[in-house]
């Protein structure tokens, strides 16, 4: 029963591991990738830039000002293979200690739309994307596996990033982003005719000084189970040895009684 319970407890621990949480402080993060699906609604990418230390002046909105690293990617839509999906992939901010912000600006002709929003997703390592044999397939796999979010038109959306890394029992790990966003209305100074093209503003920055590391842990190690089983088997062996010696002693005792019985001798 003890052996059965030990094995059952170990198997249950493997099926239901507990999570151990640790926090790793960061000053500079690896650059994440930001995939913006502006072409899904025919939005036009206008400008981008990196800003530091709590920007005070308005970002540069000149359509020719593109002071950031980005790449245009087109790949077969994973849900509609007969169509291609286009995206702009940006290199995200890294310098948490400098409060680095990546600013982007898009525009959209509103003549055919009642509502407007641009979808985006995140992946954790820009360098992995750049070194990939196929950037198209890399983004396609992200499109399949990673969650997406949306930022709205006519607003400035401020997105703060946090990262959680989950380490599995087999040694693999899965990074996941937590996104906290806030929006403020854009007071558009343009004429009514110009306002037919709606503007999108979005800022990305790291909002957490720590990476959350979640380690899945088995509370009962196999060595504990082996130790319990060894103890059980040793106890059984000692018990068997004791029983064997007891039987031998009883046999010898009975034989001795027979040799001392005078009736047995006379017969």
């Amino acid at each position: 029963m003890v052996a059965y319970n030990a094995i059952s407890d170990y198997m249950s621990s493997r099926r239901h591991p507990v999570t151990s949480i640790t926090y790793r402080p960061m000053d500079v993060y690896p650059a994440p990738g930001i995939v913006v699906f502006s072409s899904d609604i025919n939005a036009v990418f206008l400008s981008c830039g990196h800003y530091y230390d709590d920007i005070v002046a308005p970002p540069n909105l000149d359509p020719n000002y593109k002071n950031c690293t980005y790449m245009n990617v087109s790949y077969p839509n994973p849900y509609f293979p007969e169509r291609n999906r286009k995206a702009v992939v940006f290199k995200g901010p890294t310098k948490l200690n400098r409060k680095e912000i990546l600013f982007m600006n898009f525009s959209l002709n509103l003549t055919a739309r009642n509502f407007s929003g641009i979808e985006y997703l995140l992946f954790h390592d820009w360098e992995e994307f750049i070194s990939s044999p196929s950037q198209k397939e890399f983004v396609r796999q992200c499109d399949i596996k990673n969650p997406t979010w949306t930022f709205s038109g006519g607003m400035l959306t401020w997105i703060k990033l946090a990262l959680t890394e989950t380490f599995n029992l087999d040694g693999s790990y899965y990074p996941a982003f937590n996104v906290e966003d806030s929006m403020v209305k854009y007071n558009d100074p343009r004429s009514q005719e110009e306002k037919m093209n709606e503007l999108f503003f979005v800022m990305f920055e790291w909002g957490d000084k720590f990476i959350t590391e979640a380690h899945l842990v088995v509370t009962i190690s196999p060595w504990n189970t082996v130790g319990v089983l060894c103890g059980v088997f040793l106890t059984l062996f000692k018990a068997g040895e004791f029983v064997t010696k007891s039987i031998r002693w009883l046999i010898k005792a009975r034989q001795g009684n027979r040799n001392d019985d005078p009736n047995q001798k006379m017969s």
Side-chain angles (χ1 to χ4, degrees), residues 252-264:
K252 287 182 179 180
R254 292 187 64 181
Q255 288 177 345
N257 289 336
R258 288 178 181 176
N259 292 335
D260 293 339
D261 189 345
N263 294 327
Q264 289 186 352

Side-chain angles (χ1 to χ4, degrees), residues 21-30 94-97 160-167 175-180 205-214:
I21 302 295
T22 58
Y23 298 95
R24 177 153 50 98
M26 301 293 292
D27 286 328
V28 177
Y29 277 86
T94 62
K95 297 180 176 67
L96 176 69
N97 55 353
K160 295 189 176 184
L161 307 176
L163 184 63
T164 298
E165 295 179 341
T166 300
F167 293 83
F177 283 92
N178 300 313
V179 169
E180 177 186 332
E205 73 166 321
W206 286 102
D208 197 335
K209 296 181 180 180
F210 300 91
I211 291 180
T212 302
E213 295 183 348

Side-chain angles (χ1 to χ4, degrees), residues 66-81:
K66 292 182 170 64
N67 184 24
C68 68
T69 303
Y70 67 93
M71 180 184 298
N72 292 297
V73 175
S74 177
Y75 59 92
N77 191 312
Y79 307 104
F80 302 97

Side-chain angles (χ1 to χ4, degrees), residues 56-208:
V56 177
N60 193 331
L61 301 182
D62 183 345
N64 296 317
Y65 184 79
K66 292 182 170 64
N67 184 24
C68 68
T69 303
Y70 67 93
M71 180 184 298
N72 292 297
V73 175
S74 177
Y75 59 92
N77 191 312
Y79 307 104
F80 302 97
E82 70 279 3
R83 307 177 193 172
N84 272 358
R85 195 173 195 191
K86 298 179 181 180
V88 187
V89 185
F90 295 88
K91 182 180 180 180
T94 62
K95 297 180 176 67
L96 176 69
N97 55 353
R98 293 270 325 267
K99 298 183 179 180
E100 180 185 0
I101 290 172
L102 173 62
F103 171 80
M104 307 175 201
N105 178 209
F106 300 83
S107 73
L108 172 67
N109 188 299
L110 283 175
T111 53
R113 293 185 177 273
N114 295 323
F115 304 97
S116 54
I118 295 178
E119 193 174 28
Y120 70 95
L121 63 79
L122 304 166
F123 58 86
H124 80 290
D125 192 346
W126 170 266
E127 295 302 327
E128 184 180 353
F129 163 69
I130 290 299
S131 61
S132 172
S134 171
Q135 281 86 17
K136 295 179 180 180
E137 182 60 23
F138 184 95
V139 175
R140 183 176 178 273
Q141 290 301 317
C142 290
D143 193 355
I144 294 171
K145 298 175 183 177
N146 295 6
T148 58
W149 297 268
T150 301
F151 56 88
S152 299
M155 300 279 185
L156 168 61
T157 304
W158 199 311
I159 299 171
K160 295 189 176 184
L161 307 176
L163 184 63
T164 298
E165 295 179 341
T166 300
F167 293 83
N168 299 312
L169 296 176
D170 60 3
S172 63
Y173 86 104
Y174 175 74
F177 283 92
N178 300 313
V179 169
E180 177 186 332
D181 59 20
S182 57
M183 292 178 287
V184 294
K185 185 180 181 299
Y186 173 58
N187 296 317
D188 196 340
R190 298 175 300 164
S191 66
Q192 288 299 320
E193 183 177 353
E194 290 175 318
K195 288 181 181 178
M196 292 303 295
N197 286 330
E198 186 174 33
L199 296 177
F200 295 74
F201 306 97
V202 60
M203 292 179 173
F204 289 88
E205 73 166 321
W206 286 102
D208 197 335

Side-chain angles (χ1 to χ4, degrees), residues 242-253:
F242 174 77
V243 170
T244 302
K245 288 182 178 180
S246 298
I247 292 173
R248 289 176 180 173
W249 182 84
L250 289 173
I251 293 173
K252 287 182 179 180

